[in-house]
């Protein structure tokens, strides 16, 4: 639940997309955590811990994924800078007022404020896949769960029952935290969706993803 790539991705999706796509990404992250917990319970975490070469391969694969997202975020930031030139004001006859959505979300097919019509965000399915890949590409998640949770299994409870229950509680708390964070960012979004702020957000996202990519590659 500490700040990391997952939280950065969720924040970026709320600002550049909507609560719907951010929720899909959060569900993808929790699904990846559940899969890693299951594989860890089946022995994969122990195998990775005992096989430095295999663990390093997983780390480097995850670093490549994070670095790719850093490049994409940097391209968005530089693209916004290039598109910052003011557009000519539309004529009064061509002005059409679109009523706001009751929930405050952008209308379907409409980009959020601060984005161009051609700068389409990810679909719900794509966001779920991004969340799945963001958490699933980090082998430390499964190893952490298998190393951290067994010590909290109540006395007298079988580990094969206690560890999955604790993992489910941990993932449920993680999902609750992500949903709470999304709501907070969504409330602040009207003040954060100016082209300048979105450009800064994309730039910071690129830096954070890049730093975590280097950290993961170096084994930190």
């Amino acid at each position: 639940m500490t700040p990391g790539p997952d939280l950065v991705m969720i924040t970026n999706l709320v600002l550049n997309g909507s609560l719907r796509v951010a929720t899909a990404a959060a569900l993808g992250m929790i699904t990846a955590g559940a899969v890693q917990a299951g594989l860890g319970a089946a022995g994969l975490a122990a195998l990775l811990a005992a096989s430095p070469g295999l663990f390093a391969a997983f780390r480097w694969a995850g670093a490549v994924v994070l670095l790719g997202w850093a490049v994409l975020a940097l391209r968005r930031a530089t693209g916004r800078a290039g598109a910052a030139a003011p557009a000519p004001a539309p004529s009064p006859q061509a002005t059409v007022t679109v009523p706001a959505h009751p929930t405050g979300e952008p209308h379907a097919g409409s980009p959020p404020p601060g984005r161009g019509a051609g700068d389409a965000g990810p679909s719900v399915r794509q966001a779920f896949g991004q969340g799945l890949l963001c958490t699933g590409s980090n082998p430390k998640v499964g190893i952490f769960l298998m190393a951290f949770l067994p010590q909290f299994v109540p006395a007298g409870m079988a580990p094969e029952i206690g560890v999955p229950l604790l993992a489910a509680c941990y993932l449920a708390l993680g999902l609750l935290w992500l949903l709470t964070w999304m709501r907070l960012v969504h409330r602040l979004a009207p003040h954060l969706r100016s082209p300048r702020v979105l450009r800064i957000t994309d730039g910071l996202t690129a830096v954070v993803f890049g730093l975590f990519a280097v950290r993961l590659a170096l084994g930190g």
Side-chain angles (χ1 to χ4, degrees), residues 52-79:
L54 184 60
F55 182 61
F58 271 94
R59 282 195 296 105
W60 277 98
V64 169
V65 170
L66 292 176
L67 190 60
W69 282 331
V71 171
L72 290 177
L74 186 60
R75 289 180 61 184
R76 281 200 307 271
T78 56

Side-chain angles (χ1 to χ4, degrees), residues 36-37 39-51 55 139 142-147:
Q36 288 217 25
L39 292 176
L44 180 61
L47 176 62
L48 288 175
S51 305
F55 182 61
I143 293 178
F144 166 77
L145 290 176
M146 291 304 102

Side-chain angles (χ1 to χ4, degrees), residues 108-136:
S110 300
R115 293 182 54 187
D119 188 15
S123 65
V124 170
R125 181 177 298 182
Q126 289 171 335
F128 180 86
Q130 288 180 3
L132 195 70
L133 191 58
C134 186
T135 299

Side-chain angles (χ1 to χ4, degrees), residues 17-19 100-107 112-113 186 189-190 193:
S18 66
L19 275 178
H101 194 281
T103 62
E105 288 288 312
H107 287 273
H186 183 252
R193 277 180 171 155

